Amino acid sequence: MIYRFRVILDTEEDVFRDLEIDQTATLEDFHNAVSQSFGFDGSEMASFYRSDDQWNQGQEISLFDMSDGTSEVRLMSETLVEDVVSEAETRLLYVYDFFNMWRFMVELAEIAEHEEGMTYPNLMFVHGQIPEEAPEISFEADDDNSDSEFNDDIDIDDLDNLDFDQNWN
């Protein structure tokens, strides 16, 4: 089977690529197809993240193992596309180049049969030009801080009135 994806750059302008890839390809193969379709050489660090319908970031699947060995890392080269995407779980997040933070939303559009004579991965459609620089990340705080776990009335410079033992160690 072939998985058809729309890969959308997280920016105000419409910039996306439609790609199809064999279900048994690895996520590293998919990373190479995505990065090349947007004009990147694919040599920067990248990760896919499982996602839900609200585009919340889930489990990371990394290009390289950058851990200190204390935790298990799921790698793109060891993970098949069909193992992370299905008709029930259609969304991934993709981050390319962690210094510049190119962020993409990846959504499964269709599962189809192989086409005779077609080679995969296949870039089906290109829309929009990628900007010179990665779009900036904007972090917006909620205006309603009533549920905040932080007490804004604390003066952190007033060490005498902070409720902690300075010699705790």
Side-chain angles (χ1 to χ4, degrees):
M1 300 300 286
I2 298 303
Y3 283 32
R4 292 186 176 139
F5 290 95
R6 174 152 290 172
V7 182
I8 305 166
L9 176 63
D10 188 7
T11 186
E12 290 182 24
E13 299 81 28
D14 287 339
V15 179
F16 63 87
R17 307 292 185 257
D18 290 345
L19 295 162
E20 52 187 8
I21 191 164
D22 191 279
Q23 70 182 25
T24 60
T26 66
L27 281 183
E28 184 173 14
D29 297 329
F30 191 38
H31 148 76
N32 290 329
V34 170
S35 61
Q36 290 172 14
S37 74
F38 282 93
F40 300 121
D41 64 11
S43 64
E44 299 293 335
M45 183 60 190
S47 287
F48 283 99
Y49 298 89
R50 296 182 91 158
S51 183
D52 60 17
D53 289 340
Q54 282 72 48
W55 296 105
N56 294 310
Q57 181 175 310
Q59 178 191 33
E60 179 180 15
I61 305 160
S62 183
L63 183 59
F64 304 111
D65 184 352
M66 301 293 284
S67 72
D68 57 5
T70 59
S71 61
E72 187 175 322
V73 175
R74 194 165 181 186
L75 297 175
M76 289 183 201
S77 62
E78 300 170 354
T79 305
L80 301 181
V81 172
E82 68 183 350
D83 292 340
V84 293
V85 179
S86 66
E87 289 180 346
E89 295 182 45
T90 61
R91 293 182 173 185
L92 297 170
L93 296 171
Y94 173 69
V95 177
Y96 178 80
D97 186 356
F98 283 86
F99 290 113
N100 291 304
M101 292 299 290
W102 292 95
R103 295 171 319 281
F104 301 86
M105 295 168 285
V106 179
E107 186 162 20
L108 177 65
E110 182 180 18
I111 300 174
E113 296 289 331
H114 282 92
E115 289 185 33
E116 188 79 27
M118 182 68 69
T119 57
Y120 300 100
N122 177 40
L123 177 60
M124 298 171 38
F125 187 74
V126 173
H127 180 81
Q129 295 294 320
I130 192 162
E132 294 280 328
E133 296 181 357
E136 289 191 29
I137 300 172
S138 63
F139 297 100
E140 297 178 20
D142 294 335
D143 290 336
D144 178 23
N145 290 328
S146 60
D147 294 331
S148 176
E149 64 181 279
F150 302 105
N151 182 350
D152 294 331
D153 297 332
I154 294 177
D155 179 5
I156 62 169
D157 295 323
D158 184 8
L159 296 178
D160 294 331
N161 290 320
L162 290 177
D163 189 24
F164 72 94
D165 181 6
Q166 292 181 3
N167 299 314
W168 65 273
N169 196 0

Short mmCIF file of all heavy atoms in Angstrom, two decimals, residues 15-76:
data_model
loop_
_atom_site.label_atom_id
_atom_site.label_comp_id
_atom_site.label_asym_id
_atom_site.label_seq_id
_atom_site.Cartn_x
_atom_site.Cartn_y
_atom_site.Cartn_z
N VAL A 15 2.25 26.89 2.43
CA VAL A 15 3.41 26.20 1.86
C VAL A 15 3.27 24.73 2.23
O VAL A 15 3.30 24.38 3.41
CB VAL A 15 4.74 26.77 2.42
CG1 VAL A 15 5.92 26.02 1.81
CG2 VAL A 15 4.84 28.27 2.17
N PHE A 16 3.06 23.89 1.21
CA PHE A 16 2.91 22.47 1.50
C PHE A 16 3.38 21.63 0.33
O PHE A 16 3.54 22.11 -0.79
CB PHE A 16 1.47 22.12 1.90
CG PHE A 16 0.43 22.35 0.84
CD1 PHE A 16 0.15 21.37 -0.11
CD2 PHE A 16 -0.27 23.54 0.77
CE1 PHE A 16 -0.81 21.58 -1.08
CE2 PHE A 16 -1.24 23.76 -0.19
CZ PHE A 16 -1.51 22.78 -1.12
N ARG A 17 3.60 20.36 0.64
CA ARG A 17 3.99 19.37 -0.36
C ARG A 17 3.10 18.14 -0.16
O ARG A 17 2.81 17.75 0.98
CB ARG A 17 5.45 18.94 -0.21
CG ARG A 17 6.46 20.08 -0.17
CD ARG A 17 6.56 20.80 -1.50
NE ARG A 17 7.61 21.82 -1.50
CZ ARG A 17 7.38 23.12 -1.39
NH1 ARG A 17 6.16 23.59 -1.24
NH2 ARG A 17 8.39 23.97 -1.44
N ASP A 18 2.69 17.54 -1.25
CA ASP A 18 1.96 16.27 -1.20
C ASP A 18 2.93 15.18 -1.64
O ASP A 18 3.50 15.26 -2.74
CB ASP A 18 0.74 16.30 -2.11
CG ASP A 18 -0.36 17.22 -1.59
OD1 ASP A 18 -0.31 17.61 -0.41
OD2 ASP A 18 -1.27 17.54 -2.37
N LEU A 19 3.12 14.21 -0.77
CA LEU A 19 4.07 13.12 -1.01
C LEU A 19 3.37 11.79 -0.87
O LEU A 19 2.44 11.65 -0.07
CB LEU A 19 5.20 13.17 0.01
CG LEU A 19 6.13 14.36 -0.01
CD1 LEU A 19 6.88 14.48 1.30
CD2 LEU A 19 7.12 14.19 -1.15
N GLU A 20 3.85 10.81 -1.59
CA GLU A 20 3.39 9.45 -1.37
C GLU A 20 4.62 8.57 -1.15
O GLU A 20 5.67 8.78 -1.76
CB GLU A 20 2.49 8.93 -2.49
CG GLU A 20 3.01 9.07 -3.87
CD GLU A 20 1.99 8.70 -4.94
OE1 GLU A 20 0.81 8.47 -4.63
OE2 GLU A 20 2.39 8.64 -6.11
N ILE A 21 4.45 7.59 -0.25
CA ILE A 21 5.56 6.72 0.13
C ILE A 21 5.00 5.35 0.45
O ILE A 21 3.85 5.22 0.92
CB ILE A 21 6.34 7.33 1.32
CG1 ILE A 21 7.65 6.59 1.55
CG2 ILE A 21 5.49 7.42 2.57
CD1 ILE A 21 8.64 7.35 2.43
N ASP A 22 5.80 4.33 0.22
CA ASP A 22 5.39 2.97 0.53
C ASP A 22 5.22 2.81 2.04
O ASP A 22 6.00 3.35 2.81
CB ASP A 22 6.44 1.98 0.00
CG ASP A 22 5.96 0.56 0.05
OD1 ASP A 22 6.03 -0.05 1.15
OD2 ASP A 22 5.49 0.07 -0.99
N GLN A 23 4.22 2.06 2.43
CA GLN A 23 3.94 1.88 3.86
C GLN A 23 5.08 1.19 4.60
O GLN A 23 5.24 1.37 5.80
CB GLN A 23 2.65 1.07 4.06
CG GLN A 23 2.78 -0.39 3.66
CD GLN A 23 1.48 -1.14 3.81
OE1 GLN A 23 0.40 -0.56 3.76
NE2 GLN A 23 1.58 -2.45 3.99
N THR A 24 5.91 0.43 3.89
CA THR A 24 7.00 -0.29 4.54
C THR A 24 8.31 0.50 4.52
O THR A 24 9.35 -0.01 4.95
CB THR A 24 7.22 -1.66 3.87
OG1 THR A 24 7.54 -1.46 2.49
CG2 THR A 24 5.99 -2.55 4.02
N ALA A 25 8.27 1.74 4.04
CA ALA A 25 9.46 2.59 4.10
C ALA A 25 9.68 3.01 5.55
O ALA A 25 8.76 3.03 6.37
CB ALA A 25 9.25 3.83 3.23
N THR A 26 10.91 3.34 5.87
CA THR A 26 11.21 3.80 7.23
C THR A 26 10.89 5.29 7.34
O THR A 26 10.78 6.00 6.34
CB THR A 26 12.69 3.59 7.60
OG1 THR A 26 13.50 4.42 6.76
CG2 THR A 26 13.09 2.13 7.47
N LEU A 27 10.79 5.75 8.57
CA LEU A 27 10.62 7.19 8.77
C LEU A 27 11.85 7.96 8.32
O LEU A 27 11.75 9.13 7.96
CB LEU A 27 10.29 7.50 10.23
CG LEU A 27 8.83 7.26 10.64
CD1 LEU A 27 8.61 7.67 12.08
CD2 LEU A 27 7.85 7.95 9.73
N GLU A 28 13.01 7.31 8.30
CA GLU A 28 14.21 7.98 7.77
C GLU A 28 14.03 8.22 6.26
O GLU A 28 14.39 9.29 5.75
CB GLU A 28 15.46 7.16 8.04
CG GLU A 28 16.73 7.86 7.59
CD GLU A 28 17.99 7.12 8.01
OE1 GLU A 28 17.93 5.94 8.41
OE2 GLU A 28 19.06 7.75 7.91
N ASP A 29 13.46 7.25 5.55
CA ASP A 29 13.16 7.44 4.13
C ASP A 29 12.18 8.59 3.95
O ASP A 29 12.32 9.42 3.05
CB ASP A 29 12.56 6.17 3.52
CG ASP A 29 13.52 4.99 3.54
OD1 ASP A 29 14.74 5.20 3.46
OD2 ASP A 29 13.02 3.85 3.65
N PHE A 30 11.18 8.64 4.83
CA PHE A 30 10.17 9.70 4.76
C PHE A 30 10.80 11.06 5.09
O PHE A 30 10.53 12.06 4.43
CB PHE A 30 9.01 9.38 5.69
CG PHE A 30 7.80 10.25 5.52
CD1 PHE A 30 7.39 10.68 4.26
CD2 PHE A 30 7.05 10.63 6.61
CE1 PHE A 30 6.27 11.48 4.10
CE2 PHE A 30 5.93 11.43 6.46
CZ PHE A 30 5.53 11.86 5.21
N HIS A 31 11.67 11.09 6.10
CA HIS A 31 12.41 12.32 6.45
C HIS A 31 13.18 12.82 5.23
O HIS A 31 13.15 14.01 4.92
CB HIS A 31 13.36 12.04 7.61
CG HIS A 31 14.62 12.83 7.61
ND1 HIS A 31 14.67 14.16 7.97
CD2 HIS A 31 15.89 12.48 7.28
CE1 HIS A 31 15.92 14.59 7.86
NE2 HIS A 31 16.67 13.59 7.44
N ASN A 32 13.88 11.92 4.53
CA ASN A 32 14.65 12.32 3.35
C ASN A 32 13.73 12.89 2.26
O ASN A 32 14.06 13.91 1.64
CB ASN A 32 15.45 11.14 2.81
CG ASN A 32 16.59 10.76 3.73
OD1 ASN A 32 17.16 11.60 4.42
ND2 ASN A 32 16.92 9.48 3.75
N ALA A 33 12.59 12.27 2.05
CA ALA A 33 11.65 12.75 1.04
C ALA A 33 11.09 14.12 1.41
O ALA A 33 11.01 15.01 0.57
CB ALA A 33 10.52 11.73 0.85
N VAL A 34 10.71 14.28 2.67
CA VAL A 34 10.15 15.57 3.13
C VAL A 34 11.20 16.66 3.04
O VAL A 34 10.96 17.73 2.47
CB VAL A 34 9.60 15.45 4.56
CG1 VAL A 34 9.23 16.83 5.11
CG2 VAL A 34 8.40 14.52 4.62
N SER A 35 12.38 16.42 3.60
CA SER A 35 13.42 17.46 3.62
C SER A 35 13.82 17.86 2.20
O SER A 35 13.94 19.05 1.89
CB SER A 35 14.63 17.02 4.44
OG SER A 35 15.24 15.88 3.90
N GLN A 36 13.97 16.90 1.30
CA GLN A 36 14.33 17.22 -0.08
C GLN A 36 13.21 17.95 -0.81
O GLN A 36 13.47 18.85 -1.61
CB GLN A 36 14.71 15.94 -0.83
CG GLN A 36 16.02 15.36 -0.36
CD GLN A 36 16.30 13.99 -0.96
OE1 GLN A 36 15.66 13.57 -1.91
NE2 GLN A 36 17.27 13.29 -0.38
N SER A 37 11.96 17.61 -0.52
CA SER A 37 10.85 18.27 -1.20
C SER A 37 10.74 19.75 -0.82
O SER A 37 10.17 20.54 -1.57
CB SER A 37 9.53 17.55 -0.91
OG SER A 37 9.08 17.81 0.41
N PHE A 38 11.29 20.11 0.33
CA PHE A 38 11.30 21.52 0.75
C PHE A 38 12.63 22.20 0.47
O PHE A 38 12.85 23.34 0.85
CB PHE A 38 10.93 21.63 2.23
CG PHE A 38 9.45 21.50 2.48
CD1 PHE A 38 8.89 20.28 2.78
CD2 PHE A 38 8.62 22.62 2.38
CE1 PHE A 38 7.52 20.16 3.00
CE2 PHE A 38 7.26 22.50 2.59
CZ PHE A 38 6.70 21.27 2.91
N GLY A 39 13.56 21.49 -0.18
CA GLY A 39 14.82 22.10 -0.58
C GLY A 39 15.93 22.01 0.45
O GLY A 39 16.95 22.69 0.31
N PHE A 40 15.78 21.18 1.46
CA PHE A 40 16.83 20.99 2.45
C PHE A 40 17.70 19.81 2.03
O PHE A 40 17.25 18.92 1.31
CB PHE A 40 16.24 20.69 3.84
CG PHE A 40 15.36 21.78 4.38
CD1 PHE A 40 14.04 21.52 4.70
CD2 PHE A 40 15.84 23.06 4.58
CE1 PHE A 40 13.22 22.50 5.21
CE2 PHE A 40 15.04 24.06 5.09
CZ PHE A 40 13.72 23.77 5.40
N ASP A 41 18.94 19.78 2.51
CA ASP A 41 19.82 18.67 2.14
C ASP A 41 19.63 17.44 3.04
O ASP A 41 20.19 16.39 2.77
CB ASP A 41 21.28 19.11 2.11
CG ASP A 41 21.83 19.55 3.45
OD1 ASP A 41 21.16 19.34 4.49
OD2 ASP A 41 22.93 20.12 3.47
N GLY A 42 18.89 17.58 4.11
CA GLY A 42 18.58 16.45 4.98
C GLY A 42 19.66 16.12 5.99
O GLY A 42 19.57 15.11 6.67
N SER A 43 20.68 16.97 6.11
CA SER A 43 21.80 16.65 7.00
C SER A 43 21.63 17.16 8.43
O SER A 43 22.43 16.84 9.29
CB SER A 43 23.09 17.23 6.42
OG SER A 43 23.02 18.64 6.38
N GLU A 44 20.61 17.96 8.68
CA GLU A 44 20.39 18.50 10.03
C GLU A 44 19.61 17.51 10.89
O GLU A 44 18.93 16.63 10.39
CB GLU A 44 19.63 19.83 9.95
CG GLU A 44 20.34 20.91 9.18
CD GLU A 44 21.61 21.39 9.85
OE1 GLU A 44 21.73 21.27 11.08
OE2 GLU A 44 22.49 21.89 9.14
N MET A 45 19.70 17.70 12.19
CA MET A 45 18.95 16.87 13.13
C MET A 45 17.46 17.07 12.87
O MET A 45 17.02 18.18 12.57
CB MET A 45 19.31 17.28 14.56
CG MET A 45 18.65 16.47 15.62
SD MET A 45 19.09 14.74 15.47
CE MET A 45 17.96 14.02 16.60
N ALA A 46 16.69 16.01 12.99
CA ALA A 46 15.26 16.08 12.76
C ALA A 46 14.56 15.03 13.61
O ALA A 46 15.17 14.04 14.02
CB ALA A 46 14.94 15.86 11.29
N SER A 47 13.28 15.27 13.87
CA SER A 47 12.45 14.30 14.59
C SER A 47 11.02 14.37 14.10
O SER A 47 10.53 15.43 13.72
CB SER A 47 12.45 14.60 16.10
OG SER A 47 13.66 14.25 16.70
N PHE A 48 10.39 13.21 14.10
CA PHE A 48 8.94 13.14 13.95
C PHE A 48 8.37 12.98 15.35
O PHE A 48 9.02 12.43 16.25
CB PHE A 48 8.53 11.91 13.12
CG PHE A 48 8.73 12.07 11.65
CD1 PHE A 48 9.86 11.52 11.03
CD2 PHE A 48 7.80 12.73 10.86
CE1 PHE A 48 10.04 11.64 9.67
CE2 PHE A 48 7.99 12.86 9.50
CZ PHE A 48 9.11 12.32 8.90
N TYR A 49 7.16 13.47 15.53
CA TYR A 49 6.44 13.29 16.79
C TYR A 49 5.05 12.80 16.45
O TYR A 49 4.39 13.35 15.57
CB TYR A 49 6.32 14.62 17.55
CG TYR A 49 7.64 15.21 17.95
CD1 TYR A 49 8.33 16.06 17.10
CD2 TYR A 49 8.22 14.90 19.19
CE1 TYR A 49 9.56 16.60 17.45
CE2 TYR A 49 9.44 15.44 19.55
CZ TYR A 49 10.10 16.28 18.68
OH TYR A 49 11.32 16.81 19.03
N ARG A 50 4.63 11.77 17.16
CA ARG A 50 3.24 11.33 17.00
C ARG A 50 2.36 12.48 17.46
O ARG A 50 2.74 13.25 18.34
CB ARG A 50 2.99 10.07 17.79
CG ARG A 50 3.85 8.91 17.26
CD ARG A 50 3.58 7.67 18.00
NE ARG A 50 2.50 6.99 17.28
CZ ARG A 50 2.26 5.70 17.36
NH1 ARG A 50 2.99 4.96 18.14
NH2 ARG A 50 1.29 5.16 16.68
N SER A 51 1.18 12.59 16.88
CA SER A 51 0.30 13.70 17.21
C SER A 51 -1.15 13.25 17.23
O SER A 51 -1.51 12.27 16.58
CB SER A 51 0.49 14.83 16.19
OG SER A 51 -0.29 15.94 16.52
N ASP A 52 -1.96 14.02 17.94
CA ASP A 52 -3.39 13.74 17.99
C ASP A 52 -4.13 14.72 17.07
O ASP A 52 -3.51 15.47 16.32
CB ASP A 52 -3.91 13.80 19.42
CG ASP A 52 -3.71 15.16 20.07
OD1 ASP A 52 -3.47 16.15 19.35
OD2 ASP A 52 -3.82 15.24 21.31
N ASP A 53 -5.44 14.71 17.15
CA ASP A 53 -6.26 15.55 16.27
C ASP A 53 -6.09 17.05 16.54
O ASP A 53 -6.45 17.87 15.70
CB ASP A 53 -7.73 15.17 16.39
CG ASP A 53 -8.03 13.83 15.76
OD1 ASP A 53 -7.22 13.37 14.93
OD2 ASP A 53 -9.06 13.23 16.10
N GLN A 54 -5.58 17.42 17.70
CA GLN A 54 -5.35 18.83 18.03
C GLN A 54 -3.89 19.24 17.81
O GLN A 54 -3.47 20.30 18.25
CB GLN A 54 -5.74 19.13 19.49
CG GLN A 54 -7.23 19.27 19.71
CD GLN A 54 -7.97 17.95 19.60
OE1 GLN A 54 -7.57 16.95 20.17
NE2 GLN A 54 -9.04 17.95 18.83
N TRP A 55 -3.12 18.39 17.16
CA TRP A 55 -1.70 18.63 16.86
C TRP A 55 -0.85 18.74 18.12
O TRP A 55 0.13 19.45 18.15
CB TRP A 55 -1.51 19.87 15.97
CG TRP A 55 -2.12 19.71 14.62
CD1 TRP A 55 -3.28 20.28 14.20
CD2 TRP A 55 -1.65 18.90 13.54
NE1 TRP A 55 -3.55 19.88 12.90
CE2 TRP A 55 -2.57 19.05 12.47
CE3 TRP A 55 -0.53 18.08 13.36
CZ2 TRP A 55 -2.39 18.40 11.25
CZ3 TRP A 55 -0.37 17.44 12.15
CH2 TRP A 55 -1.29 17.60 11.11
N ASN A 56 -1.22 18.03 19.17
CA ASN A 56 -0.39 17.98 20.37
C ASN A 56 0.78 17.03 20.12
O ASN A 56 0.61 15.97 19.52
CB ASN A 56 -1.20 17.50 21.58
CG ASN A 56 -2.27 18.50 21.95
OD1 ASN A 56 -1.99 19.68 22.10
ND2 ASN A 56 -3.50 18.03 22.09
N GLN A 57 1.93 17.43 20.60
CA GLN A 57 3.16 16.66 20.39
C GLN A 57 3.18 15.45 21.30
O GLN A 57 3.01 15.55 22.50
CB GLN A 57 4.35 17.56 20.68
CG GLN A 57 5.69 16.91 20.48
CD GLN A 57 6.82 17.90 20.67
OE1 GLN A 57 6.80 18.96 20.10
NE2 GLN A 57 7.79 17.53 21.48
N GLY A 58 3.42 14.29 20.69
CA GLY A 58 3.49 13.05 21.45
C GLY A 58 4.88 12.45 21.40
O GLY A 58 5.89 13.17 21.38
N GLN A 59 4.95 11.13 21.32
CA GLN A 59 6.22 10.40 21.33
C GLN A 59 7.15 10.86 20.21
O GLN A 59 6.75 10.99 19.07
CB GLN A 59 5.95 8.91 21.19
CG GLN A 59 7.20 8.07 21.14
CD GLN A 59 6.93 6.63 20.74
OE1 GLN A 59 6.04 6.34 19.95
NE2 GLN A 59 7.73 5.73 21.28
N GLU A 60 8.42 11.06 20.55
CA GLU A 60 9.43 11.47 19.58
C GLU A 60 10.04 10.26 18.90
O GLU A 60 10.32 9.24 19.51
CB GLU A 60 10.55 12.26 20.27
CG GLU A 60 11.64 12.70 19.33
CD GLU A 60 12.76 13.49 19.99
OE1 GLU A 60 12.85 13.46 21.24
OE2 GLU A 60 13.53 14.13 19.27
N ILE A 61 10.27 10.41 17.59
CA ILE A 61 10.99 9.42 16.81
C ILE A 61 12.12 10.20 16.13
O ILE A 61 11.88 11.01 15.25
CB ILE A 61 10.08 8.73 15.78
CG1 ILE A 61 8.88 8.11 16.52
CG2 ILE A 61 10.87 7.67 15.01
CD1 ILE A 61 7.70 7.84 15.64
N SER A 62 13.34 9.97 16.59
CA SER A 62 14.48 10.81 16.25
C SER A 62 15.32 10.25 15.11
O SER A 62 15.38 9.03 14.90
CB SER A 62 15.34 10.95 17.51
OG SER A 62 16.43 11.80 17.28
N LEU A 63 15.99 11.15 14.41
CA LEU A 63 16.90 10.73 13.34
C LEU A 63 18.14 10.06 13.92
O LEU A 63 18.62 9.06 13.41
CB LEU A 63 17.29 11.94 12.48
CG LEU A 63 18.18 11.68 11.28
CD1 LEU A 63 17.55 10.70 10.31
CD2 LEU A 63 18.50 13.00 10.56
N PHE A 64 18.67 10.63 15.01
CA PHE A 64 19.86 10.09 15.68
C PHE A 64 19.58 9.90 17.16
O PHE A 64 18.77 10.61 17.73
CB PHE A 64 21.06 11.05 15.54
CG PHE A 64 21.40 11.39 14.13
CD1 PHE A 64 21.19 12.67 13.64
CD2 PHE A 64 21.96 10.45 13.28
CE1 PHE A 64 21.51 13.00 12.34
CE2 PHE A 64 22.28 10.78 11.97
CZ PHE A 64 22.06 12.06 11.50
N ASP A 65 20.31 9.00 17.77
CA ASP A 65 20.22 8.80 19.22
C ASP A 65 21.16 9.79 19.90
O ASP A 65 22.37 9.62 19.89
CB ASP A 65 20.59 7.37 19.58
CG ASP A 65 20.42 7.07 21.06
OD1 ASP A 65 20.14 8.01 21.84
OD2 ASP A 65 20.56 5.90 21.44
N MET A 66 20.58 10.84 20.46
CA MET A 66 21.36 11.87 21.15
C MET A 66 21.23 11.74 22.67
O MET A 66 21.64 12.62 23.40
CB MET A 66 20.88 13.27 20.72
CG MET A 66 20.99 13.52 19.23
SD MET A 66 22.67 13.58 18.63
CE MET A 66 23.14 15.19 19.22
N SER A 67 20.66 10.63 23.13
CA SER A 67 20.46 10.44 24.57
C SER A 67 21.76 10.02 25.23
O SER A 67 22.73 9.64 24.58
CB SER A 67 19.38 9.38 24.82
OG SER A 67 19.89 8.10 24.49
N ASP A 68 21.74 10.06 26.53
CA ASP A 68 22.90 9.64 27.30
C ASP A 68 22.84 8.16 27.66
O ASP A 68 23.61 7.67 28.46
CB ASP A 68 23.03 10.48 28.57
CG ASP A 68 21.79 10.42 29.45
OD1 ASP A 68 20.86 9.65 29.12
OD2 ASP A 68 21.75 11.14 30.46
N GLY A 69 21.90 7.46 27.05
CA GLY A 69 21.77 6.03 27.27
C GLY A 69 20.87 5.66 28.42
O GLY A 69 20.65 4.48 28.67
N THR A 70 20.32 6.64 29.12
CA THR A 70 19.46 6.34 30.27
C THR A 70 18.01 6.11 29.87
O THR A 70 17.24 5.58 30.66
CB THR A 70 19.53 7.47 31.32
OG1 THR A 70 19.11 8.69 30.69
CG2 THR A 70 20.93 7.61 31.87
N SER A 71 17.64 6.54 28.67
CA SER A 71 16.26 6.32 28.24
C SER A 71 16.26 5.74 26.83
O SER A 71 17.18 5.94 26.05
CB SER A 71 15.49 7.64 28.26
OG SER A 71 16.08 8.57 27.38
N GLU A 72 15.19 5.01 26.54
CA GLU A 72 15.06 4.39 25.23
C GLU A 72 14.67 5.43 24.20
O GLU A 72 13.78 6.25 24.43
CB GLU A 72 14.01 3.29 25.30
CG GLU A 72 13.92 2.48 24.05
CD GLU A 72 12.94 1.33 24.18
OE1 GLU A 72 12.89 0.72 25.26
OE2 GLU A 72 12.23 1.07 23.20
N VAL A 73 15.33 5.41 23.06
CA VAL A 73 15.06 6.36 21.99
C VAL A 73 14.54 5.58 20.78
O VAL A 73 15.14 4.59 20.37
CB VAL A 73 16.34 7.14 21.61
CG1 VAL A 73 16.08 8.04 20.42
CG2 VAL A 73 16.86 7.92 22.79
N ARG A 74 13.44 6.04 20.24
CA ARG A 74 12.91 5.43 19.03
C ARG A 74 13.54 6.15 17.84
O ARG A 74 13.50 7.37 17.76
CB ARG A 74 11.39 5.57 19.01
CG ARG A 74 10.73 4.70 17.99
CD ARG A 74 9.25 4.57 18.24
NE ARG A 74 8.65 3.71 17.25
CZ ARG A 74 7.36 3.49 17.15
NH1 ARG A 74 6.53 4.09 17.97
NH2 ARG A 74 6.91 2.69 16.22
N LEU A 75 14.12 5.37 16.93
CA LEU A 75 14.85 5.95 15.80
C LEU A 75 14.07 5.81 14.50
O LEU A 75 13.38 4.81 14.28
CB LEU A 75 16.21 5.28 15.65
CG LEU A 75 17.17 5.44 16.81
CD1 LEU A 75 18.43 4.62 16.59
CD2 LEU A 75 17.51 6.91 17.01
N MET A 76 14.22 6.80 13.62
CA MET A 76 13.56 6.77 12.31
C MET A 76 13.98 5.57 11.50
O MET A 76 13.15 4.95 10.81
CB MET A 76 13.90 8.05 11.52
CG MET A 76 13.27 9.30 12.03
SD MET A 76 13.72 10.65 10.91
CE MET A 76 13.44 12.06 11.96
#
